[in-house]
């Protein structure tokens, strides 16, 4: 393992992005995102992502200097045209107008169009909860997941995330794939030759399958929670696809043309302002939310992001550790 | 079994409600809701619900003549004070302003406060999709469900529903509890003495339990999909509870004071207008949603409400059938 301070980790990320021709705005925005993932113990959204980012760039599937364009679509709607750039800059560009609209109207939505996407949604939700807003976000990915009762890939792993601001506490945030498990976890089973647990995947004939390679190469992943998870995955396809004039996961996979690049699609965020909902009673009612959190933790259950916040606290003190092989691969990207 | 035409079923429902002193507006609104449930083959939301409605009324836990009050809370927010009446009238009162705001702004929310609730959410979502709007709805219920990793009831069965309008087709709608199973299904297992499947409930010590009576009387139900379903249940508590200044499921259960009446709480609906999101391109992109539905059905999977629509088609031709014992109980409510 190789230990890095957070500053070293960010500098490494920025140097790689700069070396490959990303504009300074992307260098900072993407660098901050992969650093946040690494810092919070989400290795799959950490420095490792730089490999996929550069691969996607080399495949000509992302614009390294695209300037996002903010469109004031309607009193409650912001649209950002990412013009094929990574989502981070598009989100940052749209955030101020989204927040202003949410504060003015009580609820507002931000649609990001034609972005390349690799980020966990919680990074964006933290930006919204820091502004005191409640937020929902989702996006399609690429078609790897079969609908419940089906047999072939159609949905993406379609994450849904939710954030709730807390006073003097990190926000209540969850962010999960609507697939039973992340694709990366099935990859790990392939590499180690382990059998998949029931409920993760189907073979090429649409039958339950414990062989990771078969599921990944010829079969389909499954949604979490059976038909309920499948319904949620379909909702994500609809509201972060056709509703915002952007690709479904099947269309996104087709756009990739087999290059295994990062997905290209849209994203929908909804922001709600508790102050507008509650007025003078906001403090009183937000305290009742705190009572709910206390009741969850009081019976030994965890809040969704608790493990991530613990990792963050550790990383802020001790820095992060990444495998030496990954460190070498990343250094090689600087040549 | 007793066969009734839809007209007879509605007249029976209305007569019972009228006999017990509901105002004519509630007689019609509640009558239409239980008829819709019965017609669509959802017996648990059909005529059977009248027993609980009258029980709740007799316990003094619902106002039979409350006049809902519509409040224009913010440019994107409607609030309806139900004043302790059933939710149907509050929803109907708020719907026109919600739709107008969604059309003007692209997105809007309706918060219903202090209503008594028994309806499936799809009934309301159909009213929104008929107006061409995409919609989300959720509400807490009463604390019967333990958070993932916990041991005691805290969350309600907290349904989440979503609707998407379709041209010349019934809407794409799902509406499911975030509990692993409906409380009524566990009741049925108690009556028949059947063991519960794994994943439905916990005993008084927070351990997995297959004894329906123990789960219902001393233990807790479980969420669907493990920690993901639990996160969604918490979200519903927050956005349809404190965010709208209304009760959580634990507070709603406390309000009931052990009378086993229908839950008293709030409800949150969010409406999005595809025309505002997409402008002139709406037709083109909504056609892409149809391609998604065709791909789901093309691999043998069902759309969420398909079974319900099939039951509706049958009922419109043949009427409905209810158990003779239920019919007798309902008739007795007319005395």
């Amino acid at each position: 393992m190789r230990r890095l301070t957070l500053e070293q980790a960010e500098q490494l990320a920025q140097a790689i992005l700069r070396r490959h021709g990303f504009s300074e705005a992307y260098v900072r925005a993407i660098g901050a995102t992969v650093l946040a993932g690494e810092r919070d113990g989400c290795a799959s959204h950490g420095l490792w992502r730089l490999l996929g980012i550069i691969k996607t760039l080399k495949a000509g599937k992302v614009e390294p200097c695209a300037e996002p364009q903010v469109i004031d679509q309607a009193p409650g709607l912001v649209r950002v045209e990412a013009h094929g750039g990574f989502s981070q800059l598009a989100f940052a560009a749209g955030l101020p107008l989204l927040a202003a609209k949410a504060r003015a109207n009580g609820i507002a939505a931000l649609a990001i169009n034609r972005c390349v996407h690799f980020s966990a949604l919680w990074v964006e939700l933290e930006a919204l909860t820091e502004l005191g807003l409640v937020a929902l976000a989702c996006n399609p990915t690429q078609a790897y997941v079969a609908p419940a009762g089906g047999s072939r890939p159609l949905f993406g792993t379609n994450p849904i995330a939710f954030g709730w601001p807390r006073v003097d506490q990190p926000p209540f945030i969850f962010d999960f794939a609507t697939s039973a498990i992340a694709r990366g976890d099935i990859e790990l089973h392939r590499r180690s030759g382990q059998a998949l647990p029931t409920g993760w995947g189907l073979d090429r004939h649409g039958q339950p399958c414990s062989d990771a390679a078969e599921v990944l190469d010829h079969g389909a992943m499954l949604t979490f929670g059976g038909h309920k998870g499948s319904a949620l995955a379909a909702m994500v396809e609809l509201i972060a696809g056709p509703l915002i004039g952007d690709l479904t996961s099947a269309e996104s996979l087709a756009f990739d043309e087999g290059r295994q690049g990062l997905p290209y699609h849209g994203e929908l965020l909804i922001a709600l302002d508790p102050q507008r909902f509650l007025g003078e009673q906001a403090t009183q009612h937000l305290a009742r939310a705190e009572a709910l959190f206390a009741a969850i933790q009081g019976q030994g259950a965890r809040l969704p992001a608790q493990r991530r916040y613990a990792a963050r606290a550790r990383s802020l003190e001790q820095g992060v550790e990444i495998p030496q092989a990954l460190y070498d691969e990343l250094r090689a990207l600087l040549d």
Side-chain angles (χ1 to χ4, degrees), chain A:
Chain A
M1 297 298 279
R2 179 92 190 193
R3 183 164 291 283
L4 302 170
T5 66
L6 292 183
E7 203 181 3
Q8 288 168 332
E10 186 163 28
Q11 278 168 0
L12 175 60
Q14 290 191 349
I16 291 168
L17 294 161
R18 205 171 279 126
R19 160 76 183 74
H20 288 270
F22 281 99
S23 71
E24 218 27 52
Y26 281 104
V27 166
R28 276 192 296 270
I30 299 173
T33 298
V34 297
L35 180 73
E38 197 65 50
R39 177 201 65 197
D40 278 17
C42 311
S44 66
H45 286 89
L47 293 173
W48 175 80
R49 281 278 158 168
L50 289 164
L51 304 178
I53 289 167
I54 302 306
K55 182 177 169 188
T56 304
L57 178 70
K58 287 185 173 167
K61 290 291 187 183
V62 68
E63 294 295 331
C65 302
E67 298 245 1
Q69 178 189 356
V70 178
I71 296 143
D72 191 339
Q73 177 86 7
L77 302 183
V78 188
R79 220 157 56 70
V80 181
E81 269 291 341
H83 291 304
F86 275 112
S87 61
Q88 281 78 11
L89 222 53
F91 172 75
L95 178 61
L97 189 54
L98 172 65
K101 285 177 183 294
R103 289 202 175 113
N105 294 349
I107 185 168
L110 167 61
I112 298 177
N113 286 128
R114 285 161 281 283
C115 68
V116 183
H117 202 271
F118 69 86
S119 167
L121 294 170
W122 59 259
V123 181
E124 298 173 359
L125 291 194
E126 284 199 7
L128 283 157
T129 56
E130 272 171 31
L131 300 173
L133 299 170
V134 173
L136 274 159
C138 62
N139 59 260
T141 62
Q142 286 177 345
Y144 293 132
V145 180
S151 57
R152 293 190 301 276
L154 179 64
F155 301 148
T157 51
N158 296 8
I160 294 178
F162 171 76
W164 178 274
R166 301 180 65 186
V167 180
D168 301 329
Q169 294 269 0
F172 174 93
I173 288 189
F174 66 74
D175 176 1
F176 59 71
T178 50
S179 52
I181 192 80
R183 193 161 177 87
D185 283 302
I186 302 185
E187 281 287 3
L188 289 177
H189 279 71
R190 161 148 67 183
R191 283 192 216 170
S192 64
Q194 254 189 298
L196 301 181
T198 312
W200 285 18
L202 301 176
D203 67 15
R204 72 192 72 188
H205 308 295
Q207 297 304 309
C209 177
S210 63
D211 175 1
E214 172 71 14
V215 168
L216 291 172
D217 297 338
H218 307 289
M221 295 166 63
L222 286 167
T223 61
F224 91 100
H227 72 279
K228 295 182 182 183
S230 181
L232 290 169
M235 178 187 78
V236 172
E237 294 288 334
L238 292 167
I239 65 176
L243 179 66
I244 62 169
D246 219 314
L247 303 186
T248 61
S249 294
E251 293 165 338
S252 174
L253 187 61
F255 173 85
D256 185 59
E257 296 174 310
R259 286 182 175 82
Q260 299 190 294
L262 292 165
Y264 170 78
H265 53 64
E267 178 186 346
L268 178 69
L269 295 112
I270 296 175
L272 306 102
D273 183 2
Q275 303 298 327
R276 269 312 221 168
F277 272 85
L278 295 166
E280 288 173 2
Q281 300 186 309
T283 308
Q284 164 200 338
H285 289 298
L286 297 181
R288 292 174 42 250
E290 293 301 315
L292 181 75
F293 299 138
I296 292 172
Q297 294 185 292
Q299 57 176 277
R302 263 201 300 258
L303 297 184
Q306 241 172 281
R307 224 181 306 204
R308 207 156 50 66
Y309 295 141
R312 183 181 303 185
R314 271 196 312 277
S315 300
L316 289 172
E317 270 191 19
Q318 306 165 12
V320 294
E321 250 186 6
I322 63 171
Q324 183 66 41
L326 172 59
Y327 182 74
D328 295 340
E329 273 189 274
L330 291 172
R331 293 288 308 179
L333 287 177
L334 289 174
D335 296 338

